Amino acid sequence: MSLVEHLQELRRRVMVSMAAILVGTIVGFIWYQNSPPGVMPLGEIIRGPYCNLPEDLRADFSGDGECRLLATSPFEMFMLRLKVGALAGLVLASPVWLTQIWNFITPGLHKNERRYTFSFVTLAALLFVAGAVLAYFVLDKGLLVLMSIGKEFQVAALTGGEYYNFVLALIVIFGVSFELPLIIVMLNLIGVLRYEHVQDKRRMIIVLIFIFAAIMTPGQDPFSMVALALSITVLVEMAFQFCRIHDKRTNQSRPEWMDLDDEQASGPVTSSGSIGRAQPVGATSRPSAPSRVSPSAPPAAPSAPPAPGRGGSHTYGHGDPFNDVL
């Protein structure tokens, strides 16, 4: 395909992906408040951790005891519903736009590269979903810890924008953090990171993971931080064990000289035997076999005899003319 054809295909696939996301956004916008029987509305699902707090930890502005978030601007509820619907549409349309991306890049990949790419994309999606699900269940305990601090003097009156931003940030941070083991495996497969580089550095890595969790969790509550750090530690250890097994299998077919230092000799070199003394050209030369000439080829013209006085009487070896030897 030419460059223009590639751009046309890219435009077509982007338009298909945007159309699917638009349809998913409309579905998510409707699902925010209305849902089919047996399915909870999307707004109620996101609001669930906040409503699970004890009644004395959250403010009641409705007077009927129903759990509701606070809105402080006229367009806040509409924009919040549109934002949640767009995120839901992005998730609902993910099979379509992921397929479009896959169909665009696979023609330029080899068969083994397609298999590896499909495996890594699938694992990345599963790890992100696992992190998002864990974040949702951790949110109950994290909010309870955060809202219980100073409850004698304050009561939680969260706006919808503040609460939803907190929830979505926690979900994204957990989902992205769960991709770290996959990055370690990829670096090991391409030969950048080996198990011997990290096998004696586990304590330092665990400390760095806890520092990362303490910085990245949006609420900085200890429960969310510990849950994120322990989860990443377990996944990183699983990635290290994969690196150990992969390196062991790779080293079985790896020659020893590839692991030596550049300044280190690879060992004694055995001689293949002495080389015989060179013989003079005239003593070993034999007349060459006459070359086969195609019957259809015209006979070669006889070479002109050497002109007298210009080396024609010179001989070399067994009397052959010097020009003939050359």
Side-chain angles (χ1 to χ4, degrees):
M1 297 175 64
S2 63
L3 178 60
V4 176
E5 291 173 340
H6 276 294
L7 294 177
Q8 291 176 350
E9 183 189 7
L10 178 62
R11 181 183 63 181
R12 179 175 61 84
R13 295 192 182 280
V14 169
M15 292 178 63
V16 172
S17 301
M18 295 301 296
I21 293 175
L22 179 61
V23 173
T25 301
I26 296 175
V27 174
F29 187 84
I30 299 174
W31 183 23
Y32 181 85
Q33 192 170 358
N34 305 295
S35 63
V39 180
M40 295 176 60
L42 188 58
E44 185 175 350
I45 294 175
I46 300 178
R47 190 185 58 176
Y50 173 76
C51 294
N52 290 336
L53 293 173
E55 294 183 0
D56 58 336
L57 296 182
R58 49 185 172 82
D60 182 14
F61 298 100
S62 60
D64 55 0
E66 186 176 355
C67 175
R68 294 179 182 176
L69 294 166
L70 182 64
T72 58
S73 65
F75 293 99
E76 181 176 351
M77 290 185 289
F78 174 78
M79 295 303 299
L80 185 62
R81 182 173 179 177
L82 183 62
K83 180 179 179 179
V84 175
L87 292 175
L90 189 65
V91 175
L92 293 175
S94 58
V96 178
W97 56 264
L98 284 175
T99 302
Q100 295 300 317
I101 295 176
W102 177 255
N103 291 335
F104 182 75
I105 65 175
T106 47
L109 300 177
H110 296 290
K111 184 177 181 180
N112 58 338
E113 293 173 342
R114 296 178 187 178
R115 184 173 64 252
Y116 292 150
T117 305
F118 180 79
S119 300
F120 279 114
V121 170
T122 304
L123 289 175
L126 293 176
L127 288 173
F128 187 90
V129 171
V133 172
L134 179 62
Y136 183 81
F137 286 104
V138 166
L139 190 59
D140 278 339
K141 303 297 181 182
L143 277 179
L144 181 61
V145 172
L146 293 175
M147 298 304 176
S148 300
I149 300 175
K151 63 180 181 179
E152 293 83 1
F153 309 101
Q154 289 177 311
V155 63
L158 298 179
T159 64
E162 294 174 347
Y163 172 74
Y164 280 23
N165 289 335
F166 172 77
V167 173
L168 296 178
L170 191 66
I171 290 176
V172 170
I173 288 172
F174 269 70
V176 173
S177 300
F178 271 45
E179 306 294 337
L180 179 60
L182 188 60
I183 297 176
I184 295 175
V185 172
M186 292 176 62
L187 293 176
N188 177 258
L189 290 177
I190 63 178
V192 176
L193 180 65
R194 295 177 60 85
Y195 177 71
E196 60 185 14
H197 298 157
V198 296
Q199 62 179 351
D200 55 347
K201 299 180 178 62
R202 279 184 170 83
R203 295 182 180 179
M204 181 179 64
I205 293 174
I206 292 175
V207 172
L208 292 177
I209 289 174
F210 272 84
I211 294 176
F212 169 81
I215 296 175
M216 295 305 297
T217 47
Q220 281 80 39
D221 60 285
F223 191 84
S224 300
M225 181 197 73
V226 173
L228 179 60
L230 291 179
S231 302
I232 297 178
T233 302
V234 173
L235 293 175
V236 167
E237 181 61 30
M238 293 173 62
F240 286 165
Q241 295 303 318
F242 175 87
C243 296
R244 180 181 63 83
I245 297 173
H246 179 261
D247 290 346
K248 185 177 180 181
R249 292 181 177 178
T250 305
N251 290 333
Q252 291 178 357
S253 58
R254 182 183 180 90
E256 297 180 357
W257 58 266
M258 293 186 66
D259 297 323
L260 298 178
D261 189 76
D262 293 339
E263 304 296 333
Q264 183 179 356
S266 59
V269 179
T270 59
S271 175
S272 59
S274 60
I275 301 176
R277 189 171 182 176
Q279 300 294 332
V281 177
T284 59
S285 61
R286 297 181 182 274
S288 57
S291 58
R292 294 186 178 180
V293 181
S294 174
S296 61
S303 58
R310 302 194 54 162
S313 60
H314 260 344
T315 58
Y316 182 80
H318 293 285
D320 297 332
F322 181 71
N323 292 334
D324 292 343
V325 174
L326 291 180

